[in-house]
Amino acid sequence: MSVFRSGVLVLTSPLSALSVRLTPILESAAKIVQDTLYVHLQPGLVLTGCAQPNSTYVPATSEVCSLISKLYSDADLHSNLDIRVLLTNIKNQSTNQHNLSSVQNLSHPPEVVLTDFQTSDGGQYNPAKQQLERYATNCYSCHPNLISVLLYPDYGLSDEGILPEYVDNIDIPLESFNDVVVGGTFDRLHNAHKILLSVCCLLAEKRLLIGVADKELLESKILKELIEPYNQRVENLSQFLVDVKPSLLYDIVPITDPYGPSITDPDLQCIVVSEETRKGGMSVNKRRQENGLCELFIHEIRLIEDPLHSENEEEKISSSSFRNRLLGTLLKPPSANPNIPARPYVIGLTGGSGSGKTSIAKRLEALGAALIDCDKMGHESYKPGGPAYQQVIQEFGSDILCADGRIDRKAIGSRVFADKEQLKRLTDIVWPAIAQLAREAIEEAAAQGISVCVLDAAVLLEAGWNDMVHEVWTTVIPEKEAVIRIMNRDGVSEDAAMKRLANQLSNSQRVEQSNVVLCTLWEPEVTQRQVQKAWDLLQERMNQKKNIPADNPVLISKF
C-alpha cells in the first residue's frame, strides 16, 4: 500500500474498547502514514447506510483525557509519526450536543483518511469508504485527491475488556476554566508536551496562556546549546495548538523566571502542572496570595515513561533525551566547498578547553583513524628552523628566547594573554604556519590514497580554518564541568580556569557553525557510542554522496 505524508485517523470504537485497541491501530496506521497523523475521536460513528454521518460533540471527561494520554504515549513507538489528536469536537460542557458544521483547516491537509470502522465482509467496502471520505472532507480541509482506507488491525486479544486505569474515570466530566496557564521549555515538541497541551486545551474555555522558557531559564538545561531558538519553539507550539483546537485564544509569552505572568494575571483560574512541577504550582499560588490575587486551581498530570530511553537518559519523555539523541548525528547538511578537493574528505574537530576533544580524537584513532597531532605541529613551528621561529623573534624580541635558543612559550604566552592586540600579532604569525603544515599533511594523505582527514582544531573557527574542511564537528561540555576539568588537569585556580574559557568562543557560538556535535559529559562508554555513531554516519554520507570507500581514514588532530 502507498505511504502518505499526512492522514487523518477516524476512531469509531467505544472509548473503553479503544483503550486496548490503540496499539494495533497505530501500528497499522504507521504503515500507511509516514509524517503527520491527525486523530479524530468519534465513538459510535457508523459508515454504512444511506444517511451521511456528521461529527458530534464528545463530552470532555477524565476517560477521554486518559485515552488521549495513552494514545500519545503509545505513539512513542512510532517515532516517524507526528500525531495530533484533534479536540474541536470534544467539548467541556456536555449539554450542547449538536452537529458540527464548519470545516476546520489543518496545517498538513490529509492525503488519506483511515478508520477502525469495520464492515461485516472484512474488506474495503466502497460505500463505507465513500461515506468516510465525505465525513472527513465535511470536518477538515483535506487533500483534493483524498484516499480512504478501512483498517483491519490484528488486535490479538479480546477487545471487550476495559483496562483498570480507565474504570474510575468513566463519565467524570473535566472541570473547565475560562483562562488556563501552563509553562515549559517546549523544545522539540514531543508527545509528553502534546499530552500537557491537550489537557490544557480541554480545561480551557477561552484562553490558554503559555510561558515559554528563555534566556536565564535555559542556563541549567542539559545540552542547552541544542535547544531550538525561541521563535522556532513558538512556531511549532502555535501550529500544533491551532491544529488541535483553533477556537481558543493562545497567548504565548517568553519567561525568564519560574513564574512569568502566572503570578500577576488576575484573570487566570487554573494552572496545569506535571508530577515533577507540582511544587512550582504551589509556589505560584503563594506568590499570587502575596500579590493579592486568587489562588489557581492546580491540575496535575502524570509523567509518561519513555520506552526508548537509554541508560544515561531520563525515564520520562523529555526534551533533554531528544537533544541527547542528536549527539553524533548530522544537525545540518554541510555547505559545498569548491575551494578544496573532494578527496580526501576533511572533518574539522573543535571544542573548548576541557571539552574532551583529545579523548574523542583517541577514540577515532581506535576506530582506525591515523592520528596526526597538530599540537606538535604548533610546537614545531616555534622551534629553531620552524616556519614561525624567525618571525616571532622579530616581532617580540630576543628576550623571549631560552638559553638554548628555543622560544619560551610560557614567557610569550604570559605577555599576550591579557593583551588582545599582542595576541593577534602572535596568531597572525603562528596560525598561517600551522595551517600550511596541516595542508601539507592533507596533501600527503591524498597522495597515499587516504579518503578522510579529521582536523581536530581548538581554534578552527577563530582562525578561519573551517574553509579547509567539508564538515565541522564540535565537542561541548557544561562550563561548570569544564572549569573543574581545567583545574584538575592544569593545577590552576577556578578564577584562572574561568578566564581561560571567557577568552574562547562559547559552546553556542561553535554549535551554530557545526554540522555534528559530541559531548563527553557522561561515562566513557556513552562517549564511545556517540563517536561510533558519528563515525558510522560519516561513512554512510561518504558512500551515498561521493561514493568514496569508507576505509583507510586519517585523523589530523589538535589543530
Side-chain angles (χ1 to χ4, degrees):
M1 184 173 292
S2 299
V3 175
F4 301 89
R5 296 189 65 85
S6 60
V8 57
L9 171 62
V10 179
L11 296 176
T12 65
S13 300
L15 297 182
S16 58
L18 273 178
S19 67
V20 294
R21 291 180 176 183
L22 277 179
T23 299
I25 289 175
L26 288 179
E27 287 178 356
S28 297
K31 297 175 182 177
I32 300 173
V33 178
Q34 64 180 9
D35 290 329
T36 306
L37 178 64
Y38 296 104
V39 178
H40 174 87
L41 293 174
Q42 193 63 79
L45 182 71
V46 177
L47 296 174
T48 54
C50 299
Q52 171 61 38
N54 294 309
S55 179
T56 57
Y57 282 117
V58 176
T61 64
S62 296
E63 181 186 26
V64 169
C65 189
S66 296
L67 184 64
I68 290 173
S69 297
K70 186 176 189 303
L71 198 154
Y72 279 122
S73 180
D74 288 355
D76 268 319
L77 297 175
H78 309 285
S79 57
N80 63 299
L81 287 181
D82 173 11
I83 289 190
R84 306 182 179 194
V85 182
L86 300 166
L87 306 175
T88 300
N89 69 320
I90 301 177
K91 192 171 180 62
N92 303 87
Q93 303 297 329
S94 60
T95 53
N96 297 323
Q97 297 277 335
H98 57 79
N99 291 341
L100 293 160
S101 56
S102 60
V103 175
Q104 178 182 336
N105 290 323
L106 298 174
S107 58
H108 304 282
E111 301 171 2
V112 61
V113 54
L114 315 169
T115 186
D116 62 340
F117 182 84
Q118 300 181 353
T119 60
S120 57
D121 64 358
Q124 297 297 316
Y125 181 59
N126 284 337
K129 293 177 65 177
Q130 293 170 359
Q131 290 274 50
L132 178 62
E133 291 171 17
R134 286 196 292 266
Y135 178 80
T137 54
N138 284 341
C139 294
Y140 305 107
S141 59
C142 298
H143 193 276
N145 300 317
L146 184 68
I147 303 296
S148 56
V149 177
L150 306 183
L151 298 176
Y152 291 91
D154 180 10
Y155 294 122
L157 47 78
S158 172
D159 57 18
E160 297 181 0
I162 301 175
L163 292 184
E165 63 181 292
Y166 290 91
V167 172
D168 295 336
N169 292 326
I170 294 178
D171 294 331
I172 301 176
L174 286 181
E175 187 173 358
S176 61
F177 306 87
N178 283 337
D179 296 81
V180 176
V181 64
V182 69
T185 307
F186 299 108
D187 178 42
R188 308 184 187 279
L189 197 68
H190 51 66
N191 287 327
H193 289 144
K194 294 176 182 179
I195 293 172
L196 176 67
L197 294 168
S198 296
V199 171
C200 291
C201 290
L202 291 176
L203 294 172
E205 289 281 5
K206 294 183 178 179
R207 178 179 66 132
L208 176 57
L209 173 61
I210 306 171
V212 179
D214 197 23
K215 297 179 180 178
E216 290 90 341
L217 278 184
L218 304 181
E219 288 302 311
S220 62
K221 300 293 183 181
I222 295 176
L223 296 172
K224 65 178 181 178
E225 300 83 6
L226 297 181
I227 294 176
E228 294 172 319
Y230 173 82
N231 289 339
Q232 184 177 348
R233 287 180 282 141
V234 169
E235 182 181 349
N236 294 340
L237 261 178
S238 300
Q239 186 192 92
F240 172 80
L241 291 167
V242 172
D243 262 356
V244 300
K245 193 172 181 180
S247 61
L248 283 180
L249 171 64
Y250 297 107
D251 191 0
I252 304 177
V253 299
I255 55 174
T256 56
D257 64 74
Y259 301 103
S262 67
I263 61 174
T264 58
D265 191 325
D267 296 326
L268 295 175
Q269 298 172 314
C270 171
I271 184 170
V272 181
V273 300
S274 65
E275 292 174 86
E276 65 179 0
T277 59
R278 181 191 308 119
K279 291 183 178 179
M282 297 170 64
S283 295
V284 165
N285 276 337
K286 182 178 179 181
R287 293 290 298 274
R288 285 181 69 87
Q289 280 185 322
E290 294 171 355
N291 292 335
L293 299 175
C294 294
E295 290 188 11
L296 303 179
F297 178 85
I298 299 178
H299 185 97
E300 181 182 323
I301 66 170
R302 291 183 300 173
L303 297 175
I304 305 299
E305 183 177 345
D306 185 353
L308 302 177
H309 78 275
S310 63
E311 61 186 39
N312 66 308
E313 297 175 348
E314 296 182 82
E315 293 185 2
K316 65 169 186 173
I317 299 175
S318 71
S319 297
S320 61
S321 295
F322 281 79
R323 293 194 294 274
N324 190 299
R325 294 165 197 171
L326 292 174
L327 296 173
T329 67
L330 191 67
L331 298 181
K332 61 181 179 182
S335 301
N337 190 341
N339 298 319
I340 58 176
R343 183 184 182 94
Y345 196 77
V346 185
I347 300 298
L349 178 64
T350 188
S353 183
S355 65
K357 181 165 49 62
T358 300
S359 69
I360 287 178
K362 291 179 179 178
R363 292 177 187 280
L364 289 168
E365 182 182 26
L367 288 173
L371 179 60
I372 301 175
D373 192 340
C374 287
D375 221 7
K376 293 180 180 179
M377 286 184 178
H379 294 166
E380 290 294 328
S381 71
Y382 277 103
K383 287 182 178 180
Y389 182 76
Q390 288 297 336
Q391 285 182 277
V392 172
I393 295 174
Q394 290 173 7
E395 187 69 31
F396 293 93
S398 59
D399 60 331
I400 62 170
L401 295 175
C402 299
D404 60 1
R406 291 181 298 105
I407 292 175
D408 188 339
R409 296 186 67 190
K410 288 187 177 180
I412 195 170
S414 62
R415 181 182 299 186
V416 304
F417 177 76
D419 190 325
K420 290 185 178 180
E421 184 178 340
Q422 290 206 63
L423 178 61
K424 187 178 186 307
R425 288 164 55 196
L426 178 64
T427 56
D428 282 348
I429 297 170
V430 178
W431 284 354
I434 300 175
Q436 182 57 39
L437 292 175
R439 290 189 183 94
E440 292 173 2
I442 293 173
E443 291 173 0
E444 183 180 347
Q448 295 174 3
I450 291 171
S451 59
V452 180
C453 293
V454 180
L455 303 180
D456 179 355
V459 291
L460 179 84
L461 302 174
E462 296 93 325
W465 294 335
N466 46 326
D467 64 1
M468 297 168 56
V469 307
H470 296 92
E471 293 182 20
V472 175
W473 292 13
T474 288
T475 61
V476 298
I477 199 77
E479 183 178 299
K480 290 183 179 179
E481 177 66 21
V483 168
I484 294 172
R485 291 184 180 185
I486 294 170
M487 292 169 62
N488 293 338
R489 182 190 65 193
D490 301 336
V492 299
S493 67
E494 180 178 358
D495 184 61
M498 293 181 68
K499 285 182 178 179
R500 186 179 302 180
L501 292 175
N503 286 328
Q504 302 176 3
L505 289 180
S506 68
N507 285 338
S508 295
Q509 289 173 314
R510 287 191 176 93
V511 168
E512 286 175 3
Q513 303 179 66
S514 300
N515 305 102
V516 174
V517 174
L518 302 161
C519 180
T520 62
L521 179 61
W522 300 281
E523 293 79 5
E525 55 269 24
V526 176
T527 300
Q528 180 63 36
R529 287 197 294 268
Q530 284 180 38
V531 175
Q532 183 70 60
K533 177 168 67 173
W535 187 255
D536 291 344
L537 291 174
L538 170 64
Q539 309 311 310
E540 290 180 12
R541 292 196 292 278
M542 292 171 55
N543 290 333
Q544 291 172 358
K545 295 183 179 180
K546 299 183 179 298
N547 197 28
I548 297 176
D551 55 0
N552 201 23
V554 63
L555 174 69
I556 300 178
S557 79
K558 285 193 174 179
F559 197 111

